[in-house]
């Protein structure tokens, strides 16, 4: 949450910051601001609303080669110019991503020094504290400040008397850094640095980066130089642009076949049989032996991918698997030991609750494996094992390609695990792997039908409430369909295990209420059809999704609309059905005239709890 950027170099800083902020805007977009060193000192400009509004407000004479910028997702204090970053106190101007938990108590203390906050933010306390400790030695002031701060932070700081220098420090919140011939830059994520370099490093926690025109010097808080680990990304600028699509979400929906292929490719080792191979991931079969319990924990869409993973793993391994919402797990009392495997799932790899769940799992002695999209992110770095998804940058707040890449990772994991513990033979795994290999093609076929989903979305556009129903894998997918729809269309929706509906919720299904019914799983198909009849009998407007081959079973009048996914083994149906649900959400949001990529109140990477 909140996007932060700093640039120091040979280009026009104001322009570089605006470009970077536009790229980081998906992290928060209620207000934005920049601060630059100019001949007149540090100049700050802020504005409520999106980055485009800030850009229009910038004075032409703001000439600078060094500055910092911030796009905000409000946590403490409403959306207003005074609460927007950068914040300034005396000698210090800074931007912050994270939450200072003890800000209240610190504010009281600082008031005694004559410093009174102007805003309602937690951040202003950090700038006041830093200013109170700054006597000309940046490191000394930073040492004193971070000693007192509780919570999470990534700061970019400018001291008025240290022209063209930016100091950065972080704990919990992400910050990546790169240097190039044009200058040095830091940002919340690589999307905003790609125009400078593909090589970068993650600023280690509690270490300080001093950013100048020609170099980034990293030291510990005592001033000892350290060499951070360099990383590189394997995608380019075009991966982070719309490339002719109206929205990032639509582009990312279309990228799914490719992102799945990229996730599969390094793990597809073909011999006599096709077996998933994690040798490049450093995951040995030994990890799978002696596992007595698996816990999957994540948030939102990533958690829904985990729900799918649970069914697959439990079905094939016969080991108990549970899925926990990370924000509940971290404050619960999970029963874990060295025979437990905890799987964390996260696109960003920075989600605060998932990161805390990981730390708790490690503390309890469990083995940890994360399924993460962003290379070098906190969750990836702190987990014992990482299975990267290779979805590329996902910009739309609504997750699509990351979700299906996470499913791919779960399928690979399940098949290898089952093989390692002798629950599936090489031949059986190979059969499944062939199916998995064909998923990309099936999704392409589904995407060819997008006009049908576009047309159908017109029927959903006026809805106030909507239900998704399904059983087994279809129920797990219903949960994802529902979150996708509500986050971008603002239509209230719920996902229900189809058999559960009659235990209360059926009372809400009245004439014309849309029900999207997923019936792609053969073992529960007839049960699902009975549930569809139940809602139809109450006047629901039913959109039924079945698999090719089941058309004959769908009697006249059972549904208002019938969508058919291509034939495949049942286990792979969620991939193609997901495309339908994503497109329905996308087009419905478009018809409602909403901001598809940046829905209200939300942000892409939730780095606060
Ligand atoms: C999905 O559409 C959401 N925007 C959201 O639920 C997201 O999946 C969740 O915040 C988890 O994010 P992560 O994968 O980066 O951890």
């Amino acid at each position: 949450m909140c996007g932060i950027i700093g640039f120091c170099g040979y280009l026009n800083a104001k322009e570089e910051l605006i470009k970077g902020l536009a790229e980081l805007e998906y992290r928060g977009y209620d207000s934005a601001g920049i601060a630059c060193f100019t001949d007149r000192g540090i100049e700050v400009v802020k504005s409520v609303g999106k980055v485009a509004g800030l850009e229009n407000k910038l004075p032409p004479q703001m000439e600078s080669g060094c500055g910092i910028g911030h796009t905000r997702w409000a946590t403490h204090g409403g959306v207003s110019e005074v609460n927007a970053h950068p914040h300034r106190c005396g000698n210090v101007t800074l931007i912050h991503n994270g939450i200072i938990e003890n800000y209240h108590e610190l504010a009281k203390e600082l008031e005694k020094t004559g410093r009174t906050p102007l805003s309602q933010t937690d951040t202003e306390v950090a700038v006041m504290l830093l200013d109170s400790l700054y006597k000309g030695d940046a490191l000394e002031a930073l040492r004193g400040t971070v000693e007192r701060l509780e919570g999470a932070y990534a700061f970019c700081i400018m001291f008025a008397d240290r022209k063209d220098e930016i100091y950065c420090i972080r704990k919990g919140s992400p910050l990546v850094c790169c240097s190039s011939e044009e200058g040095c830059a830091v940002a919340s994520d690589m999307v905003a640095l790609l125009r400078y370099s593909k090589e970068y490093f993650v600023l280690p926690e509690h270490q300080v980066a001093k950013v100048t025109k020609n170099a980034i010097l990293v030291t510990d808080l005592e001033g000892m130089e350290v060499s951070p680990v360099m990383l590189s990304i394997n995608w380019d600028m075009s991966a982070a642009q719309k490339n002719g699509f109206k929205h990032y979400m639509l582009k990312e929906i279309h990228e799914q076949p490719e992102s799945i292929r990229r996730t599969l490719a390094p793990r597809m080792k073909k011999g006599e049989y096709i077996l998933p191979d994690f040798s490049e991931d450093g995951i040995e079969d030994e990890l799978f032996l002696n596992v007595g319990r698996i816990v999957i924990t994540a948030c939102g869409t990533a958690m829904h991918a985990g729900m799918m993973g649970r069914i697959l793993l439990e079905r094939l391994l016969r080991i108990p698997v549970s899925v926990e919402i990370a924000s509940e797990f971290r404050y619960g009392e999970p029963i874990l030991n060295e025979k437990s495997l905890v799987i964390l799932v996260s696109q960003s790899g920075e989600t605060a609750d998932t990161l805390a769940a990981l730390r708790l799992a490690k503390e309890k002695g469990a083995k940890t494996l994360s399924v993460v999209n962003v290379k070098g992110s906190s969750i990836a770095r702190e987990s014992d094992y990482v299975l990267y998804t290779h979805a590329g940058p996902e910009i739309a707040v609504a997750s699509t390609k990351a979700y299906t890449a996470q499913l791919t990772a779960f399928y690979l994991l399940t098949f290898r695990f089952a093989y390692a513990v002798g629950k599936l033979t090489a031949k059986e795994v190979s059969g499944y792997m062939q199916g998995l290999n064909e998923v990309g093609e099936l999704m392409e076929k589904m995407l060819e039908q997008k006009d049908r989903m576009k047309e159908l979305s017109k029927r959903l556009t006026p809805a106030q409430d909507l239900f998704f129903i399904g059983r087994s894998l279809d129920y797990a997918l219903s949960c994802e369909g529902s979150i996708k729809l509500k986050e971008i269309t603002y239509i209230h929706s719920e996902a229900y295990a189809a058999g559960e509906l009659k235990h209360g919720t059926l009372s809400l299904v009245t004439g014309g209420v849309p029900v999207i019914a997923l019936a792609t799983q053969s073992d529960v198909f007839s049960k699902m059809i009975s549930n569809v009849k139940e809602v139809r009998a109450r006047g629901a407007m039913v959109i039924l999704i079945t698999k090719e081959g089941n058309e004959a079973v769908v009697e006249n009048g059972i549904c208002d609309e019938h969508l058919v996914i291509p034939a495949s083994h049942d286990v792979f149906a969620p991939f193609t059905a997901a495309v339908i649900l994503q497109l329905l959400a996308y087009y419905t949001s478009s018809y409602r005239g909403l901001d598809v990529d940046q829905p209200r109140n939300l942000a892409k990477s939730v780095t606060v709890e």
Side-chain angles (χ1 to χ4, degrees):
M1 335 223 74
C2 297
I4 64 177
I5 181 147
F7 176 83
C8 203
Y10 299 93
L11 304 172
N12 182 330
K14 176 180 74 179
E15 284 169 16
E16 295 309 299
L17 296 175
I18 290 293
K19 280 188 238 166
L21 287 181
E23 282 149 356
L24 292 171
E25 199 166 33
Y26 66 93
R27 301 180 67 92
Y29 31 83
D30 59 48
S31 53
I34 65 167
C36 289
F37 282 108
T38 71
D39 292 343
R40 295 168 294 281
I42 295 176
E43 287 184 46
V44 177
V45 184
K46 309 192 216 184
S47 110
V48 168
K50 296 210 174 186
V51 174
L54 172 70
E55 189 177 4
N56 293 333
K57 223 179 145 182
L58 296 178
Q61 69 277 13
M62 200 177 184
E63 289 298 325
S64 170
C66 183
I68 55 180
H70 186 275
T71 175
R72 181 170 185 247
W73 186 85
T75 55
H76 295 63
V79 178
S80 66
E81 209 165 292
V82 76
N83 287 338
H85 300 214
H87 289 281
R88 174 146 61 175
C89 180
N91 247 317
V92 184
T93 303
L94 62 70
I95 50 175
H96 169 220
N97 172 26
I99 287 186
I100 307 302
E101 288 165 359
N102 57 337
Y103 78 104
H104 212 61
E105 133 204 354
L106 289 173
K108 274 193 196 150
E109 266 179 49
L110 286 159
E111 263 181 47
K112 292 180 199 146
T113 69
R115 291 173 177 85
T116 319
L118 302 170
S119 72
Q120 293 82 51
T121 64
D122 53 324
T123 302
E124 207 182 346
V125 162
V127 74
M128 285 158 52
L129 179 61
L130 194 50
D131 180 59
S132 73
L133 297 174
Y134 182 65
K135 309 283 179 257
D137 183 336
L139 274 190
E140 190 186 8
L142 281 170
R143 246 190 336 261
T145 302
V146 300
E147 240 172 51
R148 299 295 321 277
L149 297 181
E150 285 167 23
Y153 48 81
F155 291 121
C156 293
I157 305 153
M158 305 196 318
F159 296 96
D161 59 343
R162 296 180 165 267
K163 190 159 190 271
D164 294 346
E165 291 178 2
I166 300 169
Y167 288 80
C168 309
I169 188 160
R170 73 174 197 100
K171 181 190 147 207
S173 304
L175 200 74
V176 289
C177 314
C178 78
S179 40
S180 72
E181 286 184 354
E182 291 151 328
C184 298
V186 296
S188 313
D189 69 55
M190 262 315 276
V191 169
L193 299 190
L194 209 50
R195 81 172 61 81
Y196 311 113
S197 177
K198 283 186 160 192
E199 315 295 315
Y200 68 104
F201 64 87
V202 179
L203 179 65
E205 290 198 355
H206 312 294
Q207 299 192 350
V208 180
K210 178 181 166 187
V211 183
T212 53
K213 276 187 166 107
N214 298 316
I216 303 180
L217 175 70
V218 183
T219 65
D220 63 17
L221 277 160
E222 305 304 321
M224 283 290 289
E225 195 171 334
V226 285
S227 311
V229 181
M230 291 307 294
L231 298 167
S232 66
I233 42 161
N234 52 4
W235 40 269
D236 54 23
M237 275 299 262
S238 75
Q241 284 161 353
K242 285 188 197 155
N243 295 341
F245 285 92
K246 193 168 175 208
H247 295 102
Y248 281 112
M249 182 181 178
L250 191 59
K251 177 194 164 223
E252 288 160 7
I253 290 173
H254 281 80
E255 282 174 342
Q256 294 180 102
E258 207 33 54
S259 107
I260 289 170
R261 287 183 192 114
R262 272 203 309 270
T263 302
L264 284 176
R267 285 97 186 202
M268 276 278 195
K269 294 285 147 63
K270 292 185 188 161
E272 188 186 352
Y273 296 112
I274 319 172
L275 296 175
D277 182 322
F278 298 141
S279 42
E280 283 180 27
D281 304 285
I283 301 173
E284 304 287 340
D285 281 349
E286 216 183 303
L287 170 68
F288 305 127
L289 311 175
N290 267 321
V291 172
R293 183 186 173 203
I294 300 172
V295 178
I296 302 169
T297 179
C299 303
T301 288
M303 197 261 299
H304 296 150
M307 287 172 72
M308 202 74 81
R310 182 192 76 78
I311 298 171
L312 295 169
L313 286 160
E314 211 163 57
R315 195 183 276 177
L316 292 180
L317 299 176
R318 313 309 302 146
I319 292 175
V321 186
S322 59
V323 183
E324 312 274 347
I325 297 168
S327 54
E328 290 294 311
F329 177 86
R330 66 178 291 190
Y331 293 115
E333 287 176 30
I335 305 166
L336 299 173
N337 56 34
E338 65 290 348
K339 288 182 89 181
S340 318
L341 175 65
V342 176
I343 304 177
L344 300 302
V345 193
S346 176
Q347 186 283 130
S348 61
E350 299 293 349
T351 300
D353 286 319
T354 312
L355 182 58
L358 163 67
R359 289 175 180 162
L360 177 67
K362 289 181 82 169
E363 212 179 283
K364 300 255 174 200
K367 297 179 204 87
T368 57
L369 182 151
S370 63
V371 174
V372 172
N373 196 41
V374 177
K375 216 169 162 183
S377 54
S378 304
I379 294 173
R381 279 180 293 110
E382 292 189 28
S383 304
D384 297 326
Y385 303 92
V386 191
L387 198 53
Y388 279 113
T389 48
H390 297 300
E394 191 180 63
I395 311 289
V397 166
S399 180
T400 53
K401 63 174 179 171
Y403 171 70
T404 46
Q406 285 158 357
L407 295 188
T408 309
F410 269 113
Y411 281 67
L412 285 168
L413 194 66
T414 306
F415 300 148
R416 183 76 213 191
F417 201 144
Y419 173 67
V421 297
K423 295 283 181 188
L424 287 181
T425 63
K427 196 172 168 196
E428 285 165 332
V429 172
S430 199
Y432 277 122
M433 288 297 282
Q434 256 158 19
L436 191 55
N437 223 0
E438 285 157 18
V439 152
E441 216 174 296
L442 298 180
M443 289 171 97
E444 273 154 3
K445 277 196 194 162
M446 206 66 246
L447 284 164
E448 284 165 15
Q449 292 187 44
K450 69 176 170 198
D451 286 344
R452 178 82 207 286
M453 269 63 92
K454 188 174 180 181
E455 200 43 41
L456 232 166
S457 298
K458 288 186 186 150
R459 298 195 71 168
L460 304 181
T461 304
Q464 287 192 337
D465 303 288
L466 193 150
F467 294 90
F468 288 84
I469 57 172
R471 287 169 177 259
S472 168
L473 293 175
D474 282 338
Y475 168 58
L477 183 61
S478 295
C479 294
E480 176 52 17
S482 176
I483 196 178
K484 212 86 308 169
L485 189 96
K486 61 190 148 196
E487 75 176 325
I488 60 168
T489 68
Y490 313 155
I491 296 173
H492 162 251
S493 92
E494 286 185 51
Y496 261 84
E500 182 65 11
L501 208 59
K502 60 176 94 56
H503 298 286
T505 308
L506 197 54
S507 64
L508 299 176
V509 178
T510 52
V513 169
V515 174
I516 299 181
L518 289 142
T520 70
Q521 301 298 302
S522 318
D523 56 341
V524 285
F525 184 75
S526 58
K527 305 284 168 210
M528 237 346 264
I529 294 300
S530 305
N531 298 136
V532 169
K533 287 180 180 165
E534 284 161 13
V535 293
R536 192 78 178 94
R538 270 85 192 168
M541 194 278 279
V542 177
I543 298 177
L544 177 61
I545 301 171
T546 65
K547 223 166 55 178
E548 205 175 305
N550 280 327
E551 292 86 338
V553 193
V554 178
E555 307 150 30
N556 274 348
I558 192 180
C559 60
D560 296 77
E561 303 281 354
H562 183 201
L563 292 167
V564 180
I565 60 166
S568 70
H569 188 299
D570 279 2
V571 90
F572 301 115
F575 287 94
T576 41
V579 173
I580 296 182
L581 304 188
Q582 294 164 349
L583 287 171
L584 288 177
Y586 172 78
Y587 286 118
T588 306
S589 175
S590 300
Y591 284 133
R592 287 170 74 105
L594 300 172
D595 190 341
V596 176
D597 285 336
Q598 295 177 346
R600 71 179 176 212
N601 302 341
L602 301 177
K604 181 75 183 161
S605 180
V606 185
T607 51
V608 297
E609 60 172 297

